[in-house]
Each structure stands twice: as structure tokens, then as C-alpha cells.
Amino acid sequence: MRTFIIWARKARTVGDFDVHNLPAAGKMDLVCRCLSNALGVSHHLRNDTKCYIILEGKPEPPKALLVDGTTLQRWKDDESSIGQLIKDALRGSCPPGVSIEKKSFEAVVREQAATSQLFYLHDKGEDIRAATVQEDVTFVLGDLFGIPTKTEKLLKRLEAKRVSLGPVMLFASQCITLVHNELDRRIYKKE
């Protein structure tokens, strides 16, 4: 299982936003792109992937949104449809494969570290191409505001391995695509 944890530090935590103006909802457009890239591939869903988005914006942080490709039944990969899915979840209407609960970024990371190999995407990390990746793996990403030093210390205590995707800083949604590509290349190379 591949898992992504994205910290959306400004994203709204109630379903009161306009799905046609997602940037005004604490950069919810970035959240939608991350979910699209984590779960979607051409003509179907990744059923080996789940994605946590930790919403930390106003007015009721934190909220942990989980979208699980193994059980997700309803999916459209455009931003406004994903925005509507998030909006509905925040209003208490979660379709199969989607859940939301009041939980912090740190709590989700700790839970994943107990059952999964943990990687922290960081520009000063080891090249991902040199890293040994297990079957159950979790990738931790910050948003455009990054991850605070205090949380980086937690990741270090949990033995999260820092990995880099290359010499250029990328958007979180792009990082997800590159991680999938790297892991897909390893899987299909073996076959």
C-alpha cells in the first residue's frame, strides 16, 4: 500500500467554500491537485493508494481527510469535483472510501509509522532512486508553507528517511506524481 500524508496548513476545515473558487478556501486547489495525482491514473483509480490530507485552516483545525483508493467508489478527477467531495465530507456526507476525523498531522504520521515504512520528501534527502522502498510505504509532504522544525524533529524520532526527488523544488502534487512514477518503474521492471 502506498500512502501519502499532505499537510495543508491553510485549507478550510468546514464545508462553506465555493468549489469554483478553491484558492480562496485556503489553497484548496492545491489539495485537489494532490488528491488527483495521488489517486488518479488514465481511465481509472489507483487501488493501491490512500491519501491523507491534514486540513489546518480556519475555523476548526485540525481535520484529517482520508481518501482510500481501495474502497473509493465515486471519483471524478477534476478540481471542482474533488473540491465538492471534500466539501461534502466536511459537511458529514462521506461516500465509501472517504472519511474525515478530528486528528492532527502528528497523530496521523505516528499511526502510519507504526505499520509502514516512513519517508519524508525533503530537498536535502537521499535521492529516491537510491532508496530501498518496502511494499507498505508512507510519504510525508508539506504544502507551500513547509513543515515546521518541531514536526521535523518528530519525523526524525520516528525514523522517517529523508528522500529527494531531484535538484529542483516542486509542487506537492508534482512530487506525488514522481513518487508514483518511481515506484511504478520498479514494479513493472520486475515483471
Side-chain angles (χ1 to χ4, degrees), residues 61-124:
K63 293 205 177 154
L65 172 74
L66 170 61
V67 183
D68 188 340
T70 63
T71 56
L72 189 62
Q73 294 179 0
R74 182 180 57 131
W75 179 254
K76 291 182 182 176
D77 64 359
D78 63 282
E79 284 184 24
S80 61
S81 294
I82 296 170
Q84 188 63 53
L85 182 131
I86 295 167
K87 184 175 181 172
D88 292 346
L90 288 168
R91 290 178 167 181
S93 179
C94 294
V98 179
S99 63
I100 195 156
E101 60 184 314
K102 190 139 180 86
K103 190 180 290 187
S104 71
F105 179 84
E106 291 84 356
V108 173
V109 169
R110 280 189 191 97
E111 286 175 6
Q112 285 300 120
T115 61
S116 176
Q117 183 184 25
L118 196 60
F119 285 101
Y120 170 31
L121 293 179
H122 193 282
D123 63 337
K124 292 182 174 67

Side-chain angles (χ1 to χ4, degrees), residues 4 121 128 139 165 175-184:
F4 293 93
L121 293 179
I128 193 169
F139 293 90
L165 298 173
C175 292
I176 292 167
T177 299
L178 289 177
V179 167
H180 273 313
N181 180 259
E182 179 62 29
L183 299 182
D184 290 345

